[in-house]
């Protein structure tokens, strides 16, 4: 088992999300950085959708009660195994009694922990083990992890360390302009592209709220319609909101853009006070970016196949 000694501010069980149920009002949930999680699951020989622990901020402490192999990924939260530094994008082995600690890093917000074979005492609903914090189901009893929680896994013999390249996180977020870009008094696309946006402290897994812009204030409304992670909504206050995985399934704010799939991973590391740039691109470039992301994962899969 993996025993939780300190859960930190937020540690939850997540997989790639609960898809196909938004018409029922069920949110996607799931990891905010599926790319990093695919890497660490591949390093362990797991399916990409194997549930992991998503750690926000850090300040966590875990203890292994049986031997296993594990991998960490995402942002560098200054993790240590028995007091020795370990790094994102690497597979390590642990023995019974080993302690794993995640500290903090002002430049990174979220990290991930996976074990070989995955955890075996999780709640699955609608085809996913992702924790839905709003509806209280999935993951570990439908809630964030707490001290003295025990996560089960099948013990495994130690394997050699393996590492994989993790592309950097960027503060330039690319998006495709939305259908309501002309609802504000100014040109929303031009304003989005030319402003340095600051992340509001009220941001969470439901969405990232950006700084207010006077020219984006408005009195417009639209008929409530379907939304999804990555959509950029514009409330009357002029504070754009980028929806994330725990977002609602419908909304009535004008939609002025949608972050491209390849760049959603960068949003996982944005915390209060961070500054970002937005850049409008077309669908063809968005598709090319996603193909590059998938090519990286394919290359890793091939390399591991011949290395193991």
């Amino acid at each position: 088992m993996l025993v939780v000694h300190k859960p930190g501010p937020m540690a939850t069980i997540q997989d790639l999300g609960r898809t196909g149920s938004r018409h029922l009002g069920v949110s996607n949930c799931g990891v905010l950085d599926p790319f990093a999680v695919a890497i660490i699951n591949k390093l362990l020989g797991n399916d990409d959708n194997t549930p992991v622990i998503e750690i926000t901020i850090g300040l966590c402490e875990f203890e292994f009660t049986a031997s296993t192999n594990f991998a960490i990924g995402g942002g560098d939260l200054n993790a240590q195994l028995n007091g020795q530094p370990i790094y994102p994008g690497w597979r390590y082995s642990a023995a019974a009694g080993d302690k794993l600690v995640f500290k903090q890093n002002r430049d990174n917000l979220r990290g991930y922990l996976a074990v070989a074979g995955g955890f075996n005492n999780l709640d699955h609903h609608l085809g996913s083990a992702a924790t839905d914090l709003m509806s209280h189901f999935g993951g570990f009893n439908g809630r964030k992890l707490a001290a003295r929680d025990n996560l089960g896994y099948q013990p495994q013999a130690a394997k050699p360390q393996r590492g994989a390249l993790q592309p950097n996180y960027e503060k330039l977020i690319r998006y495709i302009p939305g259908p309501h870009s002309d609802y504000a008094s100014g040109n929303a696309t031009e304003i989005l592209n030319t402003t340095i946006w600051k992340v509001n402290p009220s941001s969470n897994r439901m969405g990232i709220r950006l700084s207010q812009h006077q020219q984006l204030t408005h009195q417009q409304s639209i008929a409530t319609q379907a939304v999804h992670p990555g959509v950029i909504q514009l409330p009357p206050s002029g504070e754009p909101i980028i929806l994330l995985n725990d977002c609602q399934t419908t909304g009535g704010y004008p939609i002025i853009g949608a972050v491209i799939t390849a760049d959603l991973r960068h949003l996982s590391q944005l915390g209060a006070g961070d500054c970002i740039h937005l850049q409008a691109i077309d669908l063809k470039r968005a598709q090319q970016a996603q193909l590059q992301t998938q090519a990286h994962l394919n290359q890793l899969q091939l390399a591991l196949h011949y290395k193991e």
Side-chain angles (χ1 to χ4, degrees):
M1 289 188 297
L2 183 74
V3 180
V4 181
H5 289 311
K6 295 179 182 177
M10 173 75 82
T12 59
I13 296 293
Q14 301 290 349
D15 57 18
L16 295 184
R18 192 167 283 108
T19 57
S21 297
R22 294 185 69 79
H23 64 294
L24 303 174
V26 178
S27 302
N28 285 46
C29 301
V31 294
L32 295 182
D33 186 351
F35 185 71
V37 170
I39 288 176
I40 60 175
N41 272 326
K42 287 184 187 301
L43 285 171
L44 294 167
N46 294 343
D47 182 88
D48 286 355
N49 196 35
T50 301
V52 304
I53 301 176
E54 181 178 90
I55 298 165
T56 303
I57 295 178
L59 304 175
C60 297
E61 181 177 331
F62 305 96
E63 180 177 348
F64 297 93
T65 64
S67 61
T68 189
N69 300 286
F70 71 95
I72 61 174
D76 186 354
L77 297 179
N78 293 313
Q80 293 184 348
L81 181 65
N82 297 327
Q84 298 300 312
I86 58 175
Y87 303 98
W90 280 86
R91 179 181 78 192
Y92 300 92
S93 60
D98 283 355
K99 292 185 178 179
L100 176 61
V101 171
F102 291 85
K103 297 184 176 179
Q104 283 181 288
N105 186 336
R106 60 184 301 178
D107 296 325
N108 295 286
L109 183 64
R110 290 186 175 88
Y112 296 93
L113 167 62
V115 299
F119 301 109
N120 55 24
N121 58 338
L122 304 178
D123 299 330
H124 293 255
H125 291 279
L126 297 172
S128 169
T131 306
D132 190 323
L133 292 170
M134 299 295 289
S135 300
H136 308 291
F137 62 75
F140 194 83
N141 296 327
R143 58 169 171 77
K144 62 182 183 180
L145 297 179
R148 294 183 292 280
D149 283 344
N150 296 315
L151 297 167
Y153 59 82
Q154 187 67 36
Q156 288 199 0
K159 291 184 175 181
Q161 289 185 9
R162 290 280 186 270
L165 175 66
Q166 280 201 151
N168 294 331
Y169 292 102
E170 305 291 344
K171 297 293 176 65
L172 175 64
I173 309 297
R174 295 169 292 181
Y175 72 99
I176 296 174
H180 308 130
S181 297
D182 58 349
Y183 271 47
S185 58
N187 183 318
T189 300
E190 181 179 350
I191 293 171
L192 286 178
N193 289 347
T194 56
T195 302
I196 298 174
W197 297 98
K198 191 172 184 179
V199 175
N200 192 299
S202 62
S203 302
N204 53 32
R205 277 184 50 93
M206 288 189 68
I208 292 176
R209 187 180 291 270
L210 303 178
S211 47
Q212 191 266 356
H213 195 293
Q214 193 63 41
Q215 285 186 276
L216 291 181
T217 58
H218 64 89
Q219 299 299 319
Q220 306 285 347
S221 63
I222 62 171
T224 297
Q225 58 189 260
V227 295
H228 56 81
V231 159
I232 306 174
Q233 291 184 312
L234 184 62
S237 64
E239 296 178 311
I241 301 172
I242 304 176
L243 300 182
L244 297 182
N245 293 23
D246 286 4
C247 72
Q248 70 281 8
T249 57
T250 61
Y253 292 144
I255 296 172
I256 57 174
V259 175
I260 67 171
T261 302
D263 283 3
L264 289 174
R265 60 183 292 266
H266 303 311
L267 303 176
S268 68
Q269 302 301 328
L270 297 181
D274 283 343
C275 293
I276 63 171
H277 293 270
L278 296 171
Q279 180 185 60
I281 64 172
D282 58 26
L283 182 59
K284 184 177 181 180
R285 288 181 62 192
Q287 292 171 329
Q288 289 172 341
Q290 183 59 17
L291 287 175
Q292 289 175 348
T293 299
Q294 188 58 51
H296 183 100
L297 294 176
N298 293 342
Q299 289 175 342
L300 172 61
Q301 186 72 62
L302 275 174
L304 290 171
H305 175 74
Y306 290 106
K307 189 76 174 179
E308 295 289 0

